[in-house]
mmCIF file of all heavy atoms in Angstrom:
data_model
loop_
_atom_site.group_PDB
_atom_site.id
_atom_site.type_symbol
_atom_site.label_atom_id
_atom_site.label_comp_id
_atom_site.label_asym_id
_atom_site.label_seq_id
_atom_site.Cartn_x
_atom_site.Cartn_y
_atom_site.Cartn_z
ATOM 1 N N GLN A 176 -97.146 46.515 41.946
ATOM 2 C CA GLN A 176 -96.526 47.841 41.835
ATOM 3 C C GLN A 176 -95.576 47.931 40.642
ATOM 4 O O GLN A 176 -95.155 49.022 40.273
ATOM 5 C CB GLN A 176 -95.763 48.160 43.120
ATOM 6 C CG GLN A 176 -96.644 48.296 44.352
ATOM 7 C CD GLN A 176 -95.839 48.545 45.604
ATOM 8 O OE1 GLN A 176 -94.693 48.995 45.537
ATOM 9 N NE2 GLN A 176 -96.422 48.237 46.754
ATOM 10 N N GLU A 203 -66.064 48.113 32.574
ATOM 11 C CA GLU A 203 -64.607 48.235 32.701
ATOM 12 C C GLU A 203 -63.904 47.670 31.474
ATOM 13 O O GLU A 203 -62.909 48.234 31.007
ATOM 14 C CB GLU A 203 -64.135 47.520 33.969
ATOM 15 C CG GLU A 203 -64.573 48.199 35.268
ATOM 16 C CD GLU A 203 -64.031 47.472 36.496
ATOM 17 O OE1 GLU A 203 -62.819 47.207 36.526
ATOM 18 O OE2 GLU A 203 -64.833 47.164 37.398
ATOM 19 N N ASP A 213 -52.553 54.700 19.026
ATOM 20 C CA ASP A 213 -52.160 56.106 19.180
ATOM 21 C C ASP A 213 -52.994 56.839 20.228
ATOM 22 O O ASP A 213 -52.871 58.050 20.386
ATOM 23 C CB ASP A 213 -52.246 56.843 17.841
ATOM 24 C CG ASP A 213 -53.658 56.871 17.268
ATOM 25 O OD1 ASP A 213 -54.576 56.330 17.916
ATOM 26 O OD2 ASP A 213 -53.849 57.434 16.179
ATOM 27 N N ARG A 222 -65.570 48.536 18.379
ATOM 28 C CA ARG A 222 -66.062 48.648 19.757
ATOM 29 C C ARG A 222 -67.407 47.941 19.908
ATOM 30 O O ARG A 222 -67.697 47.349 20.952
ATOM 31 C CB ARG A 222 -66.156 50.122 20.162
ATOM 32 C CG ARG A 222 -64.784 50.747 20.359
ATOM 33 C CD ARG A 222 -64.834 52.123 20.989
ATOM 34 N NE ARG A 222 -65.461 53.086 20.099
ATOM 35 C CZ ARG A 222 -66.459 53.896 20.447
ATOM 36 N NH1 ARG A 222 -66.952 53.840 21.668
ATOM 37 N NH2 ARG A 222 -66.962 54.750 19.585
ATOM 38 N N ALA A 256 -94.103 52.606 24.967
ATOM 39 C CA ALA A 256 -94.093 53.537 23.837
ATOM 40 C C ALA A 256 -95.456 54.208 23.764
ATOM 41 O O ALA A 256 -96.472 53.553 23.519
ATOM 42 C CB ALA A 256 -93.785 52.779 22.549
ATOM 43 N N ASP A 263 -103.599 71.710 18.882
ATOM 44 C CA ASP A 263 -103.732 73.075 19.410
ATOM 45 C C ASP A 263 -105.019 73.230 20.210
ATOM 46 O O ASP A 263 -105.065 73.963 21.204
ATOM 47 C CB ASP A 263 -103.719 74.086 18.257
ATOM 48 C CG ASP A 263 -102.362 74.127 17.560
ATOM 49 O OD1 ASP A 263 -101.340 74.038 18.273
ATOM 50 O OD2 ASP A 263 -102.325 74.228 16.323
ATOM 51 N N THR A 311 -73.033 58.075 14.448
ATOM 52 C CA THR A 311 -73.088 58.185 12.995
ATOM 53 C C THR A 311 -73.288 59.638 12.628
ATOM 54 O O THR A 311 -73.879 60.414 13.384
ATOM 55 C CB THR A 311 -74.254 57.371 12.408
ATOM 56 O OG1 THR A 311 -75.488 57.861 12.964
ATOM 57 C CG2 THR A 311 -74.110 55.895 12.716
ATOM 58 N N ALA A 372 -72.000 44.063 9.216
ATOM 59 C CA ALA A 372 -73.204 44.899 9.181
ATOM 60 C C ALA A 372 -72.940 46.268 9.798
ATOM 61 O O ALA A 372 -73.395 47.302 9.273
ATOM 62 C CB ALA A 372 -74.343 44.198 9.920
ATOM 63 N N PRO A 382 -59.743 59.959 11.663
ATOM 64 C CA PRO A 382 -58.517 59.792 10.878
ATOM 65 C C PRO A 382 -57.306 59.722 11.794
ATOM 66 O O PRO A 382 -57.374 60.134 12.952
ATOM 67 C CB PRO A 382 -58.487 61.048 10.000
ATOM 68 C CG PRO A 382 -59.292 62.051 10.739
ATOM 69 C CD PRO A 382 -60.346 61.284 11.490
ATOM 70 N N ALA A 466 -52.168 39.621 18.029
ATOM 71 C CA ALA A 466 -52.444 38.281 18.564
ATOM 72 C C ALA A 466 -51.278 37.787 19.409
ATOM 73 O O ALA A 466 -51.473 37.172 20.463
ATOM 74 C CB ALA A 466 -52.727 37.308 17.416
ATOM 75 N N SER A 473 -51.605 37.542 28.152
ATOM 76 C CA SER A 473 -52.397 36.518 28.832
ATOM 77 C C SER A 473 -51.496 35.626 29.683
ATOM 78 O O SER A 473 -51.834 35.289 30.821
ATOM 79 C CB SER A 473 -53.159 35.685 27.802
ATOM 80 O OG SER A 473 -53.963 34.720 28.429
ATOM 81 N N GLU A 493 -52.214 30.058 14.415
ATOM 82 C CA GLU A 493 -53.133 29.947 13.278
ATOM 83 C C GLU A 493 -52.904 31.089 12.294
ATOM 84 O O GLU A 493 -52.923 30.898 11.072
ATOM 85 C CB GLU A 493 -54.576 29.958 13.782
ATOM 86 C CG GLU A 493 -55.628 29.864 12.693
ATOM 87 C CD GLU A 493 -57.033 29.957 13.244
ATOM 88 O OE1 GLU A 493 -57.261 29.554 14.402
ATOM 89 O OE2 GLU A 493 -57.911 30.454 12.522
ATOM 90 N N ILE A 501 -45.419 31.040 3.409
ATOM 91 C CA ILE A 501 -45.086 31.778 2.188
ATOM 92 C C ILE A 501 -43.937 32.752 2.402
ATOM 93 O O ILE A 501 -43.667 33.604 1.571
ATOM 94 C CB ILE A 501 -46.319 32.548 1.662
ATOM 95 C CG1 ILE A 501 -46.752 33.638 2.642
ATOM 96 C CG2 ILE A 501 -47.459 31.597 1.368
ATOM 97 C CD1 ILE A 501 -47.910 34.478 2.139
ATOM 98 N N ALA A 519 -45.001 23.691 17.978
ATOM 99 C CA ALA A 519 -45.653 24.535 18.987
ATOM 100 C C ALA A 519 -47.155 24.302 19.004
ATOM 101 O O ALA A 519 -47.783 24.227 20.069
ATOM 102 C CB ALA A 519 -45.340 26.002 18.708
ATOM 103 N N THR A 549 -55.960 24.282 12.507
ATOM 104 C CA THR A 549 -54.532 24.537 12.670
ATOM 105 C C THR A 549 -53.787 23.251 12.996
ATOM 106 O O THR A 549 -52.684 23.004 12.492
ATOM 107 C CB THR A 549 -54.306 25.568 13.797
ATOM 108 O OG1 THR A 549 -55.111 26.726 13.538
ATOM 109 C CG2 THR A 549 -52.854 25.993 13.869
ATOM 110 N N VAL A 633 -76.347 15.182 6.150
ATOM 111 C CA VAL A 633 -76.605 16.060 7.302
ATOM 112 C C VAL A 633 -75.969 17.435 7.101
ATOM 113 O O VAL A 633 -76.656 18.452 7.042
ATOM 114 C CB VAL A 633 -76.078 15.428 8.615
ATOM 115 C CG1 VAL A 633 -76.361 16.356 9.802
ATOM 116 C CG2 VAL A 633 -76.713 14.061 8.845
ATOM 117 N N LEU A 658 -66.366 17.275 0.535
ATOM 118 C CA LEU A 658 -67.032 16.041 0.124
ATOM 119 C C LEU A 658 -66.568 15.587 -1.258
ATOM 120 O O LEU A 658 -66.409 14.385 -1.511
ATOM 121 C CB LEU A 658 -68.541 16.240 0.119
ATOM 122 C CG LEU A 658 -69.246 16.136 1.468
ATOM 123 C CD1 LEU A 658 -70.714 16.474 1.323
ATOM 124 C CD2 LEU A 658 -69.094 14.728 2.049
ATOM 125 N N ILE A 665 -62.192 8.121 -2.428
ATOM 126 C CA ILE A 665 -62.692 6.813 -1.986
ATOM 127 C C ILE A 665 -63.174 5.965 -3.164
ATOM 128 O O ILE A 665 -63.191 4.733 -3.080
ATOM 129 C CB ILE A 665 -63.815 6.992 -0.940
ATOM 130 C CG1 ILE A 665 -63.891 5.751 -0.037
ATOM 131 C CG2 ILE A 665 -65.167 7.271 -1.603
ATOM 132 C CD1 ILE A 665 -64.784 5.935 1.182
#
Side-chain angles (χ1 to χ4, degrees):
Q176 295 177 21
E203 291 182 50
D213 62 1
R222 289 190 293 129
D263 293 321
T311 60
S473 182
E493 179 183 331
I501 65 177
T549 307
V633 180
L658 279 175
I665 206 169

